[in-house]
Amino acid sequence: MSENYQEENINITENEELRLPPPPGRSPATRASSLGERSTSNAEQEPEMRSVTIQREHRLQRVDANGRLIAHTKSHPSPTRIVQLKPSSSSPSVAPVNTTINNTTGSARARSWDVDHATLPTRPDDFPLLPTTRIVHGMNAGVISNCISDCLRIRSVKMTLCKSQGNLARCLNTDFCRFNVRLYSTNDGAVLVEVHRLTGDAVSFMRDCRAVFNAAEGKSLQQQSKDEDVPMYLRFPVSQMNFLGSLSLPPPLTTSQDEYAESIKCTSELLSSHMTDSNMLGMESLVIQTDPLKTDKSSAMNVSRRILSPSDEENDGFNLHNHLMSILLCNEDSHVMNAEGHQAGEEASLSQAYHVTKLRNLAMLALSNALELFSSENLLTSTISSDLEWYTSNLIPTLIHDLNMAVSNPHYACYASRCLSTLAKSSVELAHRMKDSGGLDAVKIAEEVGTREFAMLAHDARTCRESLCVGDGME
């Protein structure tokens, strides 16, 4: 049912974008008649879509003599073929952000959203006014659009400007909630700001929606972060809170072996299901089970060990490592949503592209959690030592490829930089192999893109660059 509703919502949105204000001299009755004739003609030519089916793509996968998945070589083209953005020859440190930065590289999306107030269209009156709208008086549309652009950059929301409609910006936040921001002119010369949710979590949408409205009204942007909306008990472990100095707490609850086995069994069944919705639920569960802030530490350690080590004894029934890495390594470019929100290189449904992109993003987050947890316990080097060559020849090139794709998908680049940073800190050999594979150039590209467009990426890429340069004293 949810897929049907989302598809209808997308179709309505696309139809809405085609509606233009009536030209001067045409009466509403004439326009209604023409719209009725056009809709009747379209209905006769094309049947109305009421459902969508997402079918899992079956592909042949290469394995080595030990049954390990081998990455597809065609999914790792050279950096010069993927991104034409040239890193600056000066220091790659993050510069102060200027909301009027222009796109001078040709490949990076321009982060400045310049809307001409004089040509701003009025809102069509044949579609009900959304509740998520706000009218701003006394401000130019160009100023409002630049403030919104800067707000979205600070909140790490991917913004894509519509080429055919200058008043429209398509957005995708870190929770993979898709929404549109439109600017319209009112009769009294004010600017109407409309934020329209398409898919995704409503709570996450409302946080970004309120931030957009505050920015449109000219309120101060003080390095807004989504962490500000997260309760403190989800940001820090209880053991790091100051009140422990004066209180004595009971011993923490631990998950019994039976409870752990049941939870991981349920996750494995969801991941191995032939239903795509079940796969998504299983991956979301895996992300939670690798986060010690959302589950007990012993369970997080057990699940993370299964992700990092393919030969772990608990992987006999369902190998979490092979399943997760198959999603990460099989990164065909046709499955990556491009700047316009559609699949690149082939005509496929937007729903399938959205599903595959979100599933891989969650898989990268689970891997990042597992690497960080074992690194904090000084167990990462010993855990991956027997598979170090596989990590070097398969996983690291994939992560560097994701960094080079920062322009089209900053979400991948964020988690890729975190994984590379953790691996570089754990092994000097891995850090050197990363640099030999073009890791520094890829990190600089990602950092420049993050500085322009995606604050979270700028921070993660800078941390990764520092990790790679510590050994050579290049900081």
Side-chain angles (χ1 to χ4, degrees), residues 127-318:
F127 193 81
L129 187 67
L130 298 177
T132 50
T133 58
R134 185 165 298 184
I135 298 178
V136 181
H137 296 273
M139 291 184 65
N140 186 276
V143 176
I144 293 175
S145 62
N146 274 279
C147 290
I148 293 176
S149 174
D150 195 32
C151 171
L152 295 176
R153 180 196 62 81
I154 292 174
R155 297 183 67 82
S156 298
V157 176
K158 178 184 176 183
M159 182 185 72
T160 303
L161 301 182
C162 181
K163 296 180 181 180
S164 59
Q165 302 179 58
N167 66 322
L168 169 63
R170 298 186 176 96
C171 305
L172 180 69
N173 68 8
T174 53
D175 293 325
F176 269 68
C177 175
R178 295 174 53 243
F179 58 93
N180 289 340
V181 180
R182 284 185 175 89
L183 303 183
Y184 295 108
S185 176
T186 62
N187 295 331
D188 57 356
V191 178
L192 185 146
V193 182
E194 179 182 81
V195 186
H196 185 189
R197 181 174 72 96
L198 303 179
T199 59
D201 181 54
V203 176
S204 175
F205 164 75
M206 286 307 302
R207 286 198 293 259
D208 289 325
C209 181
R210 284 191 289 265
V212 167
F213 287 151
N214 291 336
E217 293 179 343
K219 296 183 180 179
S220 176
L221 298 173
Q222 299 177 351
Q223 296 301 317
Q224 300 180 29
S225 172
K226 296 189 70 175
D227 289 339
E228 297 173 355
D229 299 322
V230 179
M232 181 173 292
Y233 64 84
L234 291 181
R235 280 184 277 163
F236 301 102
V238 177
S239 59
Q240 297 182 9
M241 296 184 180
N242 295 330
F243 70 89
L244 284 180
S246 58
L247 295 177
S248 58
L249 297 178
L253 296 177
T254 58
T255 303
S256 65
Q257 190 64 24
D258 293 339
E259 292 174 338
Y260 163 74
E262 183 64 26
S263 64
I264 197 63
K265 178 183 177 182
C266 180
T267 300
S268 300
E269 291 176 352
L270 291 172
L271 291 174
S272 59
S273 172
H274 67 281
M275 303 295 294
T276 55
D277 287 346
S278 299
N279 300 153
M280 189 68 70
L281 289 175
M283 195 60 67
E284 291 174 350
S285 175
L286 192 64
V287 170
I288 294 175
Q289 291 175 335
T290 55
D291 190 348
L293 299 181
K294 299 179 181 179
T295 185
D296 63 277
K297 192 172 183 179
S298 60
S299 297
M301 291 289 294
N302 291 335
V303 176
S304 298
R305 183 180 294 106
R306 291 185 58 177
I307 291 176
L308 299 177
S309 177
S311 58
D312 188 86
E313 58 182 9
E314 295 187 19
N315 276 330
D316 293 339
F318 180 79

Side-chain angles (χ1 to χ4, degrees), residues 11 21 28 98 103 201 270 295 304 373 386 428 452:
N11 292 336
N98 183 358
N103 182 16
D201 181 54
L270 291 172
T295 185
S304 298
L373 179 59
S386 59
V428 177
R452 290 174 178 268

Side-chain angles (χ1 to χ4, degrees), residues 27-41:
S27 63
T30 304
R31 186 185 62 164
S33 176
S34 63
L35 286 176
E37 295 174 358
R38 183 178 60 185
S39 61
T40 303
S41 175

